[in-house]
Structure formats: C-alpha cells, structure tokens
Amino acid sequence: MVSTFKTMVLAVAITALGTLSANAQDATMWKIDKSHTSVNFSINHFFSSVPGKFTDFDGMIHFDQNNLKGSKADFSVSINSINTDDEKRDEHLKSKEFFDANTFSKMTFQSTKFEKKSDKEYLIHGKLTIKDVTKNVVLPMKITGEMEHPMMEGTIILGVVIDTTIDRTDYGVGTGDWAATMVVGDEVKIHIPMELNRKN
C-alpha cells in the first residue's frame, strides 16, 4: 500500500514537472530582425530633449499569447555602441562619470514574467542591470502588427514596441558630477521598436 502511494506521488510529481517543462518549451521563439529594430533613448539637456541610440545589441524573445508562463525575454546592449551624433559627448558618456564602459561593458535585461493587459498590450517584468546595479522594472510592450512575410515564404512577422522611462541616478549614471546632475535631466525615455520573425 505504501509502495503504491509513493508510486502515485512520484507519477503526479513527474507529470507536474513535465507540464512546467512543456510550457517553457512551447512558448514561441521569435528572432530579432536587427536591421529593423533600434534601441533609442532621449534625455533633457537644460530644456531640450537630446536623442541617442545604442547600435550594438542582442537578445531573444520567447512569446506566446496563450502561454505567458512559458514566455521569456533576455537582452543585452553594448555600452560602447552609444551614439548621440557627437563623438566627444559619446566618449564622455562612456567614461567613469557616466557608464564606465571599460568596467561595465554591457547593460542587461532578464524577464521574470509576462503579464497581459489587453490583446495588444503586455507587461514584461524583469531585472535591469546597468553598471553594478540591478533593479526590478516593468517594460510595457505593445503589439503593433502581425502578418505573413510577403517576401519570405513560411515566415511570420511580429511588430512590437517598448516605451518606458527610467531614472539614470538609480543606476549611478552621472551622479556626483555637478555638470551631470545639474545640466542633464534624471529621467531617460526609452523607445525600442522591434521587428520579430519566426517560421510558420
């Protein structure tokens, strides 16, 4: 009797683990089309908004609207790829006064869960690491469209956009320097339009 009970418990445990594993594997994997994706930001300098971008980034997205538990996202951005159309300013941003790119070459994001707001809007909860600081953040993701690729048979395109705002001082970027703290705003607006694709 005891042996039978143990067998039943083991069977239930294996089934549960199998279901969890299946959920994680079943989430659709989307490839980032880097030529149609950009990582943009803007920040105030006195009263005007100054735009910039990072040109070197990588990541993966497993996303399934019917399997949010199995959905996940990981991104990394190379700090040395920062581009504000001003070489001198870019070098200053890479310095120890801001990102300290020689010590911290990448910023990263790793999701912890996906949450549905509507059929087109989702929240990606996760951990954002800049320099040596990691904080919990929520990235709003909006689906902008989905269709079959007209020039690539058997390929589906998914358009998404992430818009959010972070406080650079939370991550020690630009703190301690008078010019950085008094001239440059604290809030950084982030705008990431992405084109994703997968095989049908």
Side-chain angles (χ1 to χ4, degrees):
M1 185 71 176
V2 173
S3 177
T4 302
F5 178 75
K6 287 182 178 179
T7 302
M8 291 175 62
V9 170
L10 181 60
V12 170
I14 291 174
T15 301
L17 288 173
T19 300
L20 289 174
S21 176
N23 282 342
Q25 293 175 358
D26 287 344
T28 304
M29 181 176 177
W30 297 86
K31 182 180 178 180
I32 299 174
D33 183 344
K34 292 185 179 181
S35 62
H36 298 101
T37 297
S38 56
V39 178
N40 311 290
F41 65 89
S42 62
I43 188 169
N44 277 358
H45 180 268
F46 286 116
F47 308 113
S48 62
S49 178
V50 177
K53 61 185 177 181
F54 292 92
T55 59
D56 185 9
F57 53 87
D58 202 0
M60 68 87 194
I61 296 180
H62 288 263
F63 175 64
D64 187 336
Q65 293 162 298
N66 298 314
N67 183 15
L68 294 184
K69 287 185 178 180
S71 297
K72 58 184 179 180
D74 288 282
F75 300 100
S76 65
V77 176
S78 171
I79 299 300
N80 280 308
S81 72
I82 195 167
N83 184 351
T84 64
D85 291 325
D86 185 312
E87 186 175 346
K88 184 177 180 180
R89 179 169 58 208
D90 292 344
E91 290 304 314
H92 190 198
L93 290 171
K94 296 174 192 177
S95 73
K96 288 185 178 181
E97 291 186 8
F98 284 88
F99 284 103
D100 192 3
N102 285 336
T103 305
F104 308 103
S105 62
K106 294 181 181 295
M107 69 174 78
T108 62
F109 173 81
Q110 185 172 33
S111 69
T112 53
K113 74 171 183 177
F114 276 65
E115 178 185 351
K116 181 177 181 178
K117 289 188 66 181
S118 70
D119 288 341
K120 298 292 185 182
E121 296 178 303
Y122 295 82
L123 299 176
I124 310 176
H125 298 254
K127 296 182 180 297
L128 175 64
T129 300
I130 302 176
K131 297 177 75 171
D132 57 348
V133 179
T134 300
K135 292 197 173 283
N136 293 320
V137 298
V138 180
L139 303 182
M141 183 183 81
K142 182 177 181 180
I143 296 176
T144 55
E146 184 175 357
M147 63 180 286
E148 291 187 10
H149 200 299
M151 294 169 287
M152 296 174 63
E153 187 176 352
T155 300
I156 303 297
I157 303 172
L158 180 68
V160 302
V161 62
I162 294 172
D163 283 297
T164 193
T165 300
I166 64 172
D167 188 328
R168 65 179 177 83
T169 63
D170 288 344
Y171 299 89
V173 177
T175 58
D177 178 79
W178 181 88
T181 55
M182 299 300 291
V183 175
V184 182
D186 292 345
E187 289 193 343
V188 182
K189 295 180 180 179
I190 298 171
H191 176 65
I192 308 175
M194 306 178 71
E195 189 171 297
L196 312 174
N197 61 68
R198 66 171 175 84
K199 292 298 181 181
N200 194 0

